[in-house]
């Protein structure tokens, strides 16, 4: 008997074709599928775009306008010292008064363009610097002056050695001009004034007093300062002159300074004047400061570096840098060695000597110097590279 139509379908009957899930065969799954790429886009050329593009006028920014005005204004800046607008790359503009100054016209000159804000001597107050007053105790502490009791043994032994040497010298030698000691001022109060002027100048530049070469960590070692490295050799200081130099150092340690006074000039800055008569060939000072390699000071702002050693190997050449430590030699100015008037001012010479195998720089008088005369020497004694064209 046939089943009725209202009966439920049997479990064994299959689904309609539309409802079936057909699994692809293994061979079909292994076939690579072909990706259909979209049709290529058509780009217009820049010429076609510019033909139909609308013209747009951009508004000029205020900053650009102001910068153009500033360039026009700066084009008319001239140096307040020489009145010239030439060499604009050397013109410094004061950030306070907006006046221009050539780097070589300033006193002292500016070797490189300063980093950050810069003020001219008038706005920075350099023209109105005064010499500070120091008490006797402060001067003694500042210069580390030793008491007389500490110097008696050294001085007496040096005098005995000189007497013995004179007694033994029985052979006549060719007469040679020897270096001489400076004669300190007899008045002790006046010597305190002289030393106070130096202390004031050093304090204004944040410097410490040092009457000898200093070797700091990270700079040249003391062993690097050897006269044997000098290209072409170096003049050796005789035994007699070496003893004179040692006596000068001992006198300074006792507070018997040379008759010199540090003053401030509005044009030259700090400078040194003779506070008493000075004889020819008198040792006035040794150039002191930190010893460093020249290669480390190529971009240095210090304008008072002094050549100490010109080695055959340029990497071993040394300079004295009195930017942190120094003595009165730091404030002795140079001459304009390009003019006859400037050369006439020279009354000192800068000489490099080999002293016991080490290089030293001495400032020695080359003629009689009267009281009140300012001290000058030639900065270009060796390399002739220091620019002195605009020196006073």
């Amino acid at each position: 008997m046939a089943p009725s139509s209202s009966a439920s379908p049997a479990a064994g009957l299959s689904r309609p074709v539309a409802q079936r899930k057909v699994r692809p065969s293994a061979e079909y799954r292994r076939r690579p599928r072909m990706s259909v790429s979209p049709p290529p886009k058509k780009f217009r050329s820049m010429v076609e775009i510019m033909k139909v593009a609308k013209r747009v006028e951009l508004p000029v920014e205020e900053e650009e306008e102001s910068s153009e005005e500033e360039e026009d204004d700066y084009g008319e800046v001239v140096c307040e010292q020489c009145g010239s607008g030439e060499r604009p790359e050397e013109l410094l503009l004061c950030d306070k008064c907006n006046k221009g100054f050539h780097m070589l016209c300033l006193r002292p000159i500016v070797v490189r363009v300063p980093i950050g804000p810069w003020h001219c001597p008038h706005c920075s107050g350099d023209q109105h610097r005064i010499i500070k007053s120091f008490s006797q105790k402060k001067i003694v502490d500042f210069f580390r002056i030793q008491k007389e009791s500490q110097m008696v043994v050294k001085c007496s032994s040096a005098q005995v050695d000189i007497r013995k040497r004179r007694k033994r010298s029985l052979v006549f030698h060719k007469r040679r001009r020897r270096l001489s000691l400076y004669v300190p001022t007899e008045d002790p109060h006046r010597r305190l004034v002289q030393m106070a002027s130096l202390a004031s100048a050093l304090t204004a530049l944040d410097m410490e007093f040092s009457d000898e070469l200093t070797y700091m960590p990270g700079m040249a070692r003391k062993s690097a300062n050897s006269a044997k490295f000098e290209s072409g050799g170096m003049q050796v200081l005789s035994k007699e002159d070496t003893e004179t130099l040692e006596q000068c150092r001992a006198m300074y340690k006792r507070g018997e300074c040379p008759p010199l006074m540090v003053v401030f000039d509005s044009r030259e800055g700090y400078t040194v004047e003779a506070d008493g008569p000075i004889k020819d060939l008198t040792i006035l000072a040794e150039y002191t400061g930190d010893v460093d390699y020249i290669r480390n000071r190529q971009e240095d702002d210090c304008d008072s570096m002094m050549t100490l050693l010109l080695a055959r190997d340029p990497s071993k050449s040394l300079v004295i840098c009195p930017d942190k430590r120094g003595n009165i030699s730091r404030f002795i100015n140079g001459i304009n060695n390009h003019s006859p008037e400037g050369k006439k001012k020279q009354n000192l010479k800068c000489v490099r000597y080999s002293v016991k195998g080490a290089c030293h720089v001495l400032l020695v008088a080359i003629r009689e110097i009267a009281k009140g005369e300012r001290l000058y020497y030639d900065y270009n004694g060796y390399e002739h590279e220091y620019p002195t064209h605009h020196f006073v």
Side-chain angles (χ1 to χ4, degrees), residues 49 77 115 165-166 180 213 303 316 333 349 361:
I49 295 174
V77 174
I115 301 174
R165 178 177 51 79
R166 288 178 180 176
S180 59
L213 298 176
D303 59 349
K316 296 182 179 179
N333 288 334
K349 67 177 179 180
V361 181

Side-chain angles (χ1 to χ4, degrees), residues 2 16 43 128 132-133 145 176 228 249 267 273 293 314:
F43 296 97
H128 305 287
K132 298 180 181 179
S133 60
I145 298 175
R176 186 183 61 84
K228 65 182 180 182
R249 294 170 177 171
R267 296 186 303 168
E273 293 181 353
Y293 293 102

Side-chain angles (χ1 to χ4, degrees), residues 100-148:
F101 297 86
H102 281 126
M103 293 190 294
L104 300 181
C105 293
L106 292 166
R107 297 295 180 270
I109 69 171
V110 179
V111 180
R112 57 181 295 191
V113 178
I115 301 174
W118 177 80
H119 296 93
C120 66
H122 179 76
C123 294
S124 62
D126 287 348
Q127 291 181 333
H128 305 287
R129 288 185 180 179
I130 58 175
I131 302 298
K132 298 180 181 179
S133 60
F134 286 82
S135 63
Q136 181 176 353
K137 184 179 182 306
K138 288 185 178 180
I139 292 176
V140 171
D141 295 339
F142 188 87
F143 292 100
R144 298 183 293 276
I145 298 175
Q146 298 181 5
K147 296 180 180 180
E148 295 182 0

Side-chain angles (χ1 to χ4, degrees), residues 297-310:
R297 299 282 178 157
Q298 295 294 335
E299 303 296 331
D300 202 291
D301 283 333
C302 181
D303 59 349
S304 300
M305 288 188 294
M306 172 67 69
T307 302
L308 179 64
L309 172 64
L310 292 176

Side-chain angles (χ1 to χ4, degrees), residues 285-353:
E286 177 185 355
Y287 208 95
T288 62
D290 296 337
V291 179
D292 200 359
Y293 293 102
I294 291 180
R295 65 175 184 266
N296 297 339
R297 299 282 178 157
Q298 295 294 335
E299 303 296 331
D300 202 291
D301 283 333
C302 181
D303 59 349
S304 300
M305 288 188 294
M306 172 67 69
T307 302
L308 179 64
L309 172 64
L310 292 176
R312 291 181 291 272
D313 183 359
S315 63
K316 296 182 179 179
S317 297
L318 302 176
V319 290
I320 305 173
C321 308
D323 50 354
K324 301 297 183 182
R325 283 157 286 274
N327 58 5
I328 199 168
S329 60
R330 167 68 172 80
F331 304 103
I332 300 177
N333 288 334
I335 63 168
N336 185 338
N337 54 4
H338 297 276
S339 66
E341 294 77 11
K343 293 181 179 180
K344 290 180 182 179
K345 293 182 178 180
Q346 183 175 358
N347 47 25
L348 299 180
K349 67 177 179 180
C350 173
V351 189
R352 292 187 298 139
Y353 285 105

